[in-house]
Amino acid sequence: MMNRTRRLAALALIVAPALAAAPAVAAAAPAAAKCNVEVDSAGKYHVWGEGFPADTTVTYSGSTKGSVPIDTTGRFDLGGLSGGKYVVKTADGKTTVTCTAIHH
């Protein structure tokens, strides 16, 4: 008859490899950054984006240039712009997004 210590050691040899092979719980990946352009009722352009690093800044360029802060949810919103083609870049240069025109 095996004593308790030997039984536990044998069980550990069986269970440990199974635990090591189990998939790790991964953190949720951030959403892919995207940017959209819409025309408002006054004929001005509205540019908005989501999926950017939270609490950072992006620069935008097109008919108008500037920068805008990203909120805690990874979004930004600009209105009253001229021209409908814009490119948005993160401050670190790791993400560049060409804004897509949305037609209603």
Side-chain angles (χ1 to χ4, degrees), residues 1-96:
M1 209 180 240
M2 279 204 270
N3 66 26
R4 184 174 179 195
T5 304
R6 287 186 182 169
R7 283 186 292 192
L8 288 174
L11 182 61
L13 290 173
I14 295 169
V15 173
L19 291 175
V25 176
K34 67 179 182 177
C35 177
N36 297 296
V37 180
E38 298 174 295
V39 180
D40 67 20
S41 60
K44 293 290 185 176
Y45 291 86
H46 175 94
V47 178
W48 58 273
E50 60 189 3
F52 291 90
D55 296 322
T56 59
T57 301
V58 293
T59 59
Y60 59 93
S61 59
S63 300
T64 306
K65 294 180 181 184
S67 63
V68 61
I70 303 299
D71 68 15
T72 58
T73 64
R75 298 178 180 172
F76 74 89
D77 198 331
L78 296 164
L81 301 173
S82 61
K85 293 185 179 183
Y86 286 89
V87 174
V88 176
K89 288 184 181 183
T90 55
D92 62 10
K94 291 182 180 180
T95 304
T96 300

